[in-house]
Amino acid sequence: MAVDAADRLLLRELSDAISSDPSLTETTLTVIGDTHGALTLGALAECGFTNVKVHQDALSGERALLNNAAELAAAIPTGATFEHFALSEELVQGARVVVLRLPRALEQLDQWAALIAAYASSDVLVLAGGRIKHMTLSMNEVLARYFDTVEASLAEQKSRVLRVRGPKEEIARKALGNWPRSEHHADIDLTVCAQGGAFAGTSIDIGTYDLLAVLDRVSGQQGMRIIDFGCGTGVLAAQIAKLRPSATVIASDQSAAAVESAKATIETNALSDRVSVVRDDGLSAQPDASADLILFNPPFHSGAAVHAGTSLRLFAEAGRVLKPGGELWVVANRHLSYKPALRNLVGETREVRRTPKFTVTRSIKA
Ligand SMILES: C[S@@+](CC[C@H](N)C(=O)[O-])C[C@H]1O[C@@H](n2cnc3c(N)ncnc32)[C@H](O)[C@@H]1O
C-alpha cells in the first residue's frame, strides 16, 4: 500500500507542529523511511514545506517517490522540491523537524536516532510513526537512549506517533562511531560488517549457512561471472570469491544499508579486487545472459508485509540474467516451496540440500 493511516497521522502531527510554530516551514524538513513518497509529497503539497531532504533505504522506494512526484506534479507548489540523501550527517544537519517511519529493525532505528540526535538542531522535533501492530515499547527505549523526551500520541486508525525531543548530542555522536558493527566468524573465517538496517546484522542467517554448506558444489569454470543477489552484508559474495579466485563477483542489493554493509565486509576481508557492490532494484543493471552463477537467499518481506510475489519477480530477473546453462542456487524456507516457480521462470530445478527448516535448490537456465 503506497499510503496508509500512519502516513496520514504523521502528516497531521506535522501540520499541528506548524500551527504552533509557522516558522518551521521556512526550514528544510528531513524525512526518513518514507515508503513510496507519501510523507515527502504530503509535506510539500499540504504542509507548506518547500525543501525536503529524504532518505529511503530501498531503491524501489526512491523510484516510487520519483514516479509519484511526476504523477502529482500539479498538486506540488512551484519551486517546492525534495532531494535524496544517503544516511549521513548532511541529511539531518541543523534540522528542526524530522518525520520518520519507524523501521522494523531496532538496530536501524538506533542508528537513525543517533544520527538525528548528533547533528540536528538542539530544538529538533522528531515525529516517529507507524502501525501499532508493528510498534513495540523497545522502540521508545531506543529513542530514549538519544533523546530526553519520548511522548506517544493517541492511537488513531491503528497507528501512533511518538513525539521526540531533546537530543543527547554527546551520547549520540559516541554511539555513531560504532557503526558499522563487525563480528568475526571463526567457523568460516569471515568478518561480517553491518549497518543498522542490514538483514541478520553481523550474524549469519541459518538459511545462509545452508547455502554456504553446499557452496563447493556450484559450477567452477575459470573466469566465471557470479552474482550474489540480494547480498545483504555480503556473506555469500565474500565466501564464493574466496572459493573461486578467478571469478568476478557482483554483490547486489536494493537496500542502502545492505550495500554499505557489504562494501565494508568486502573491504575488511581484503576482497575488493574481486567483488564489486552495487545498489540495484532486482538485477536491472545486469545485461541479459551475462552471469554464470547467481546465489540467492530471497526476501520474504516487502517492508513490513510478507509478500511471496516479490520473490517471483526476482526469480524472473535471475532467469533473464543467467547465460544458457547458468545456475541459480536458492535457499528458502521449506514451506515456501518455490520449485514450480523456479522451473517456470528459470529452468530445470533440483533440490540439493534439505534441513528441517530450509531447502537449497539449483535451477539450470534452459
Ligand atoms: C533474506 S535477505 C538475504 C541477505 C544475504 N544474501 C544473506 O544471505 O544474509 C534478502 C535481501 O534481499 C534484498 N532485496 C529485497 N528486495 C530486493 C530487490 N527488489 N532487489 C534487490 N535486492 C532486494 C534485501 O534488502 C535483503 O538484503
Side-chain angles (χ1 to χ4, degrees):
M1 195 133 22
V3 58
D4 66 12
D7 291 325
R8 290 192 196 96
L9 186 59
L10 275 165
L11 289 172
R12 233 217 12 250
E13 288 275 332
L14 183 60
S15 296
D16 291 349
I18 294 162
S19 304
S20 312
D21 180 359
S23 74
L24 286 179
T25 57
E26 289 153 28
T27 68
T28 298
L29 172 72
T30 297
V31 174
I32 306 180
D34 204 357
T35 56
H36 300 74
L39 296 172
T40 303
L41 298 174
L44 294 172
E46 291 174 5
C47 301
F49 283 92
T50 53
N51 270 306
V52 177
K53 288 180 177 178
V54 53
H55 172 75
Q56 295 174 279
D57 185 66
L59 187 58
S60 58
E62 286 188 11
R63 291 184 175 159
L65 168 53
L66 291 169
N67 287 336
N68 285 323
E71 198 124 314
L72 297 171
I76 309 240
T78 318
T81 56
F82 64 87
E83 196 181 339
H84 278 110
F85 283 78
L87 196 65
S88 59
E89 181 178 335
E90 243 191 321
L91 170 71
V92 291
Q93 185 68 59
R96 292 189 57 214
V97 201
V98 176
V99 172
L100 72 79
R101 211 33 222 253
L102 288 162
R104 256 189 328 142
L106 287 178
E107 294 282 272
Q108 190 166 29
L109 180 61
D110 186 295
Q111 197 177 11
W112 290 0
L115 186 71
I116 299 165
Y119 298 114
S121 168
S122 57
D123 67 350
V124 67
L125 166 67
V126 183
L127 298 171
R131 305 287 285 157
I132 289 170
K133 63 181 174 188
H134 300 137
M135 290 171 73
T136 62
L137 280 177
S138 309
M139 292 179 169
N140 302 44
E141 285 159 22
V142 168
L143 290 164
R145 269 178 216 157
Y146 305 111
F147 292 89
D148 292 327
T149 61
V150 179
E151 167 200 289
S153 74
L154 291 175
E156 203 174 294
Q157 291 187 3
K158 300 181 181 166
S159 305
R160 205 188 281 285
V161 166
L162 303 174
R163 306 181 192 111
V164 184
R165 291 183 190 274
K168 303 176 187 172
E169 188 185 324
E170 217 168 290
I171 293 173
R173 288 201 183 204
K174 224 169 135 201
L176 275 182
N178 297 330
W179 295 103
R181 303 217 197 289
S182 64
E183 182 180 347
H184 185 72
H185 295 268
D187 53 345
I188 58 166
D189 191 21
L190 187 76
T191 300
V192 177
C193 302
Q195 299 286 349
F199 172 80
T202 58
S203 64
I204 296 173
D205 171 54
I206 46 170
T208 310
Y209 263 122
D210 277 331
L211 190 43
L212 288 175
V214 290
L215 218 50
D216 57 349
R217 287 160 64 183
V218 303
S219 65
Q221 64 272 33
Q222 280 290 310
M224 63 196 293
R225 206 160 172 273
I226 302 174
I227 299 175
D228 174 1
F229 191 8
C231 63
T233 55
V235 173
L236 293 168
Q239 294 307 91
I240 195 71
K242 290 197 256 167
L243 216 56
R244 299 278 181 266
S246 75
T248 304
V249 181
I250 297 162
S252 182
D253 203 295
Q254 74 152 338
S255 151
V259 165
E260 291 310 311
S261 307
K263 281 183 181 163
T265 299
I266 296 305
E267 209 179 296
T268 302
N269 293 281
L271 294 164
S272 304
D273 55 334
R274 274 177 289 143
V275 183
S276 53
V277 183
V278 295
R279 187 168 178 229
D280 192 5
D281 178 14
L283 292 172
S284 70
Q286 305 301 328
D288 294 357
S290 58
D292 299 284
L293 171 67
I294 298 179
L295 304 174
F296 195 19
N297 180 3
F300 39 89
H301 286 102
S302 169
V306 179
H307 199 310
T310 311
S311 293
L312 300 187
R313 175 173 74 94
L314 301 178
F315 293 154
E317 276 285 89
R320 175 184 67 75
V321 169
L322 278 175
K323 293 176 184 169
E327 297 177 6
L328 169 66
W329 288 61
V330 172
V331 60
N333 251 296
R334 269 176 64 174
H335 76 267
L336 289 172
S337 56
Y338 282 139
K339 260 195 273 173
L342 286 166
R343 238 175 239 129
N344 265 340
L345 297 166
V346 183
E348 187 209 315
T349 297
R350 291 255 163 85
E351 198 169 273
V352 178
R353 177 182 166 88
R354 174 194 282 251
T355 57
K357 268 192 101 172
F358 293 95
T359 54
V360 179
T361 53
R362 180 188 63 180
S363 309
I364 300 186
K365 170 77 179 172

